[in-house]
Amino acid sequence: MIFITAKFRVLPEHADRWPEISGDFTRATREEPGCLWFDWSRSVEDPNEYVLVEAFRDDAAGGAHVQSEHFREAQRTLPSYLAETPRIVNTTVPQNDWSLLGEMAVPERG
């Protein structure tokens, strides 16, 4: 899978509304057949920073994502809400879902 993590520093006056501002893009991306997940989190240290964790099934799915109309629309509209160019880590990993963190295994309850 293609695994991507990106940090978006949002202008302070838009930070509280970022989930709404990016909502159409988020929903459309999650509907792509090759999207495994597309999840936003807000930094606990910097309220103007959002972290996007996303994954796509393979190179073809990642390519389809960046060629989609909703991606092009996001390229046109989202930068005006940002304080700087987002930073990204993009890699291919040989799996298709989250692995369990064995070092913090939770015993069965019940």
Side-chain angles (χ1 to χ4, degrees):
M1 75 176 159
I2 307 299
F3 185 82
I4 301 164
T5 303
K7 290 188 173 191
F8 289 71
R9 188 169 312 283
V10 179
L11 291 167
E13 61 268 27
H14 302 298
D16 287 341
R17 292 186 47 246
W18 182 251
E20 175 189 336
I21 291 165
S22 62
D24 288 342
F25 176 54
T26 299
R27 285 185 290 279
T29 300
R30 287 176 177 166
E31 291 175 5
E32 293 176 24
C35 179
L36 300 175
W37 58 81
F38 195 86
D39 298 323
W40 293 98
S41 297
R42 195 172 194 176
S43 171
V44 296
E45 294 177 1
D46 179 353
N48 299 322
E49 184 175 79
Y50 284 82
V51 177
L52 175 60
V53 180
E54 55 187 305
F56 296 90
R57 182 183 57 245
D58 52 27
D59 287 335
H65 172 62
V66 298
Q67 297 302 316
S68 68
E69 178 54 37
H70 56 271
F71 187 88
R72 287 193 294 274
E73 178 67 15
Q75 287 178 300
R76 287 189 293 270
T77 61
L78 295 184
S80 64
Y81 298 96
L82 300 176
E84 64 187 29
T85 301
R87 293 160 289 145
I88 188 170
V89 175
N90 181 336
T91 191
T92 301
V93 294
Q95 61 193 72
N96 60 9
D97 203 352
W98 292 93
S99 299
L100 295 177
L101 179 58
E103 294 83 356
M104 290 196 184
V106 176
E108 270 194 51
R109 297 185 172 114

